[in-house]
Amino acid sequence: MVVAFSEGLARLSYDLLFVLRGSVPPAEACIVYFDEGSARALGEPLDPWNRALHARLVRRLTADGARAVLFDIVFSDPWPVPAVDEEFAAALKENGRTFLGAALELDEGRIGAIQQRTIPPTALLRRAAAGWGLLAFRPVDPDYAVRRIYPGLETVPTATWVAAGKLGARLPPQAADASRRPWMNYYGPADHFLSVSYERALAPLALPPDFFRDRIVVVGGRSTLGALRMGKDDFRSPYGVLGGDFCKGPEVHLTALLNLLHGDWLERVSPPREIGLALLFGALLGGSLGWLRPHFAVLGAAIAFAGVLAIATWLIVAEGLWFCWGVLAFVQVPVALIWAVGTRYFIEERRRNALRDAFAHYLSPRMADQIADADFDLSLGGTVVEATVMFTDLENFTPLSEELGKPELISEILTTYFTQTTGHILENDGTIVKYLGDAVQAVWGAPLPDADHARKAVFAAWRLHEASVMEVQGHPLRTRIGVNTGMMLSGNLGSAQRFDYATTGDEVNFASRLEGLNKYLGTHVLISDSVKERVGDAFFLRCVGEFRVVGKKAARVIYELLGPEPASERHLWIESFARGLDAFRAGDFTAAEAAMRETIATRGADGPSSFYLERIDGLRDSALPPDWKGIVELSAK
């Protein structure tokens, strides 16, 4: 089965080359056909024709100066009227360049041995002709195509071989091994040779003067006659691989004769070189397509396919060589493409799984899938992005740890806290960057961009604040949260030996400072002015003042998160605090103190109001600087 497939692929490779090259019919040849119309016009039976007509035809060809004449007919029996044969022989001798054919019969003996028997022309005609030989094609391929030039037997060559030698051709070695014989170089599809009917060839005025001059003329019958002692005389042409008429025997003989005369038969590349070429092409193709994305791999495969066709066509036209390029084009290219796409899919699937596994503990399942599906790079390095970062910390956890003194209990508390914190962050499309003791760092807008990163981070902060109240052995544990938006470096940071996904930069540090500022203001969730700018009035916020934190030169306006939605009713304590803050910024500490105390009286305990009352006590007897704007400077984290 494999052998049949490879042989069929070789035949296809051979045939398609002629289709790609196109037709190049030589003008130096002509076929004179027996056909039914000529038989009726000349009053002859279909078989056999009166040899007196052949004598007339030969003399016409002699008079016109034909270069050579080959009869694709076997004159094995004498004509009933001897004078007719004598006339025909005389015409052959006058011409001096007419070649006759012999039949080759194959008989299978009793023990399976094949006996070959040659049936030559009559002795009279053999002596008169310039030469004679077999009218046979061997081997004829399973699809009944003639693809090799058959030299004949050692004792009796083919008629085309004899004619080419007599006409001065330099013949190739007469190899008995069929695999070493030259390949036919067809000049065109069926009926591409110039041809005339027998009747017109004999008519004095039917053809222009000297029509046959310097032409090689093959005389034979069309298959429609079905007899003429030639048996089946239709053969598949390489041009018929895509559909088309069969070639007639005279066309095949004429093609072989012209190949031998011109020396333009084809040679096949040797098997070792074909194998080497296939191995090299496969290695290059497989190695190159495997690195390409599927759509580029398809384009690369198409280019490789076209390149193989171009090289194969160039070889047959320029060098007279052909090889089984179908293995490259029809086997290796599709296999390499399937391999490339499959390999790419395997690599992408592995990359996707690796990314998903890498981020599964930091991201929600939905975001982990998005990263796995995106063109995300796990290599070392980062990019600057706008994102919102959150820092959390457990209030009163340090003294509680000292009091408990049991690592396993502390671990249990932290596991509960981190599970709760992580859930709210992931539910709102955040990314867990790292756990730092009892603190958590999370980010929105990285590693995947998210236009709504600020709002999601603030909402997650509120949900976390609502759910984070814990009490352990009488110690209340609340989460302090700082949220800031800005430009930061996001990526896999670290060393070549070990790296982690991280976000870093001044804006990240400021979020950490906001978390710490909660301790001074007695608040739980603080956001920066950049976050407020992006969320607008979507949340219930109050401004708690302008602060310059440790390590920062510029002051920032800070807001406390009081609810997930804008206030739906008027809050008197909000208004009194705002008046007190304005008075503090203006340096009117008396009015500021009164407003802050009013806030506490209205609301009850209020951390920011208490903070400003302490600041007022410290500043009341101090001279204010000329550029006083009410900015609070912190000297500690």
Side-chain angles (χ1 to χ4, degrees):
M1 183 175 179
V2 175
V3 174
F5 174 76
S6 63
E7 290 178 351
L9 200 58
R11 291 194 293 268
L12 182 64
S13 299
Y14 172 86
D15 293 346
L16 283 177
L17 287 175
F18 295 98
V19 178
L20 294 172
R21 184 196 66 183
S23 178
V24 285
E28 60 183 301
C30 177
I31 299 176
V32 176
Y33 276 122
F34 298 89
D35 56 27
E36 295 178 359
S38 295
R40 289 193 299 269
L42 296 173
E44 290 290 322
L46 294 181
D47 181 37
W49 282 33
N50 193 326
R51 292 177 188 171
L53 295 174
H54 299 328
R56 287 176 54 192
L57 177 62
V58 171
R59 287 192 171 102
R60 167 69 191 273
L61 297 176
T62 303
D64 265 17
R67 183 181 178 188
V69 182
L70 171 63
F71 275 89
D72 185 18
I73 309 171
V74 179
F75 302 108
S76 57
D77 297 323
W79 191 253
V81 181
V84 174
D85 268 353
E86 292 174 0
E87 182 183 0
F88 185 28
L92 295 177
K93 190 171 295 186
E94 291 170 10
N95 180 271
R97 296 180 301 278
T98 299
F99 301 89
L100 303 180
L104 179 65
E105 288 188 351
L106 303 177
D107 294 328
E108 187 173 348
R110 294 181 180 179
I111 59 175
I114 297 178
Q115 297 179 347
Q116 300 179 120
R117 185 167 68 92
T118 301
I119 304 176
T122 64
L124 175 64
L125 298 181
R126 289 201 306 269
R127 289 192 298 269
W132 65 278
L134 297 175
L135 296 174
F137 306 115
R138 295 184 61 197
V140 177
D141 289 330
D143 57 352
Y144 219 74
V146 179
R147 293 184 173 89
R148 291 180 182 272
I149 297 177
Y150 177 48
L153 306 175
E154 292 184 6
T155 54
V156 183
T158 60
T160 51
W161 199 274
V162 171
K166 292 281 186 176
L167 294 174
R170 185 176 179 179
L171 300 175
Q174 191 172 355
D177 184 1
S179 64
R180 300 176 60 186
R181 295 171 187 167
W183 293 75
M184 297 274 284
N185 185 3
Y186 283 86
Y187 301 105
D191 298 322
H192 70 286
F193 282 114
L194 178 67
S195 64
V196 295
S197 66
Y198 206 102
E199 175 197 4
R200 294 185 66 209
L202 291 178
L205 303 178
L207 298 174
D210 298 334
F211 177 80
F212 295 103
R213 182 166 300 281
D214 296 326
R215 295 187 191 276
I216 295 173
V217 182
V218 175
V219 183
R222 292 187 185 273
S223 59
T224 52
L225 292 176
L228 297 178
R229 297 189 181 182
M230 294 181 292
K232 180 173 176 58
D233 208 31
D234 284 343
F235 302 91
R236 183 179 294 279
S237 163
Y239 291 90
V241 66
L242 301 179
D245 295 334
F246 277 54
C247 285
K248 282 70 178 175
E251 292 182 276
V252 181
H253 286 300
L254 185 52
T255 300
L257 178 55
L258 292 176
N259 284 178
L260 294 172
L261 285 175
H262 297 158
D264 60 356
W265 62 80
L266 301 180
E267 297 286 348
R268 182 174 178 179
V269 175
S270 64
R273 291 186 177 181
E274 278 195 356
I275 294 173
L277 179 62
L279 292 175
L280 177 62
F281 181 76
L284 292 176
L285 193 64
S288 59
L289 294 187
W291 295 98
L292 301 177
R293 294 189 177 278
H295 52 287
F296 287 115
V298 172
L299 178 61
I303 293 174
F305 186 90
V308 170
L309 295 187
I311 292 173
T313 304
W314 175 80
L315 279 176
I316 192 176
V317 172
E319 302 296 330
L321 291 173
W322 78 278
F323 66 100
C324 188
W325 57 270
V327 172
L328 280 62
F330 300 128
V331 177
Q332 288 186 300
V333 170
V335 169
L337 179 59
I338 294 172
W339 173 266
V341 173
T343 301
R344 190 69 185 182
Y345 175 80
F346 177 74
I347 293 173
E348 288 294 325
E349 189 63 20
R350 288 186 59 187
R351 183 192 70 85
R352 185 179 186 277
N353 291 335
L355 281 171
R356 200 184 192 289
D357 292 343
F359 284 96
H361 300 293
Y362 305 96
L363 300 166
S364 66
R366 183 179 67 83
M367 292 190 66
D369 285 335
Q370 287 181 355
I371 282 187
D373 292 334
D375 189 14
F376 190 80
D377 190 2
L378 273 178
S379 60
L380 192 63
T383 56
V384 176
V385 297
E386 181 186 89
T388 299
V389 66
M390 171 198 289
F391 276 88
T392 74
D393 188 45
L394 268 179
E395 186 181 73
N396 298 324
F397 184 73
T398 301
L400 176 63
S401 300
E402 295 176 354
E403 182 177 328
L404 292 175
K406 295 181 179 180
E408 63 274 10
L409 186 54
I410 296 173
S411 174
E412 182 180 344
I413 295 171
L414 285 178
T415 300
T416 302
Y417 169 69
F418 286 145
T419 300
Q420 178 179 271
T421 303
T422 300
H424 289 295
I425 291 172
L426 298 187
E427 286 173 5
N428 290 279
D429 295 337
T431 299
I432 302 295
V433 177
K434 63 187 58 159
Y435 300 106
L436 304 167
D438 61 330
V440 177
Q441 180 189 352
V443 66
W444 282 258
L448 290 179
D450 187 343
D452 202 22
H453 55 83
R455 187 195 64 80
K456 290 180 179 180
V458 174
F459 187 76
W462 178 255
R463 293 295 303 274
L464 183 59
H465 164 67
E466 282 189 318
S468 64
V469 179
M470 300 174 61
E471 187 170 322
V472 180
Q473 296 189 3
H475 291 269
L477 296 179
R478 286 184 176 273
T479 300
R480 293 192 296 251
I481 302 170
V483 182
N484 182 41
T485 294
M487 304 302 294
M488 58 195 70
L489 184 66
S490 168
N492 295 305
L493 307 177
S495 66
Q497 291 76 25
R498 186 182 186 279
F499 61 86
D500 291 314
Y501 177 74
T503 54
T504 186
D506 287 342
E507 300 296 344
V508 176
N509 295 334
F510 188 65
S512 177
R513 298 293 185 269
L514 287 178
E515 179 273 314
L517 182 58
N518 283 291
K519 292 185 292 183
Y520 298 98
L521 294 178
T523 53
H524 294 98
V525 184
L526 294 177
I527 68 172
S528 66
D529 48 359
S530 57
V531 178
K532 170 64 170 66
E533 180 181 345
R534 284 159 182 79
V535 301
D537 298 327
F539 296 89
F540 186 13
L541 306 174
R542 72 160 162 171
C543 177
V544 294
E546 192 170 0
F547 294 81
R548 184 179 291 115
V549 299
V550 176
K552 291 288 187 178
K553 294 182 179 180
R556 301 278 293 273
V557 178
I558 308 302
Y559 295 83
E560 180 187 11
L561 177 62
L562 298 174
E565 297 176 354
S568 58
E569 58 184 22
R570 183 179 175 211
H571 293 275
L572 296 178
W573 64 270
I574 290 289
E575 296 177 2
S576 60
F577 180 82
R579 290 197 312 272
L581 185 58
D582 290 341
F584 181 82
R585 287 173 170 173
D588 186 354
F589 295 147
T590 300
E593 180 180 3
M596 295 302 177
R597 293 190 183 281
E598 180 184 345
T599 301
I600 295 174
T602 305
R603 186 188 186 193
D606 184 58
S609 297
S610 299
F611 171 80
Y612 278 105
L613 287 175
E614 291 181 8
R615 301 293 292 184
I616 291 170
D617 285 342
L619 294 170
R620 191 184 301 278
D621 298 329
S622 302
L624 296 179
D627 58 347
W628 170 262
K629 295 181 180 179
I631 297 174
V632 179
E633 297 206 24
L634 298 178
S635 59
K637 297 181 180 179

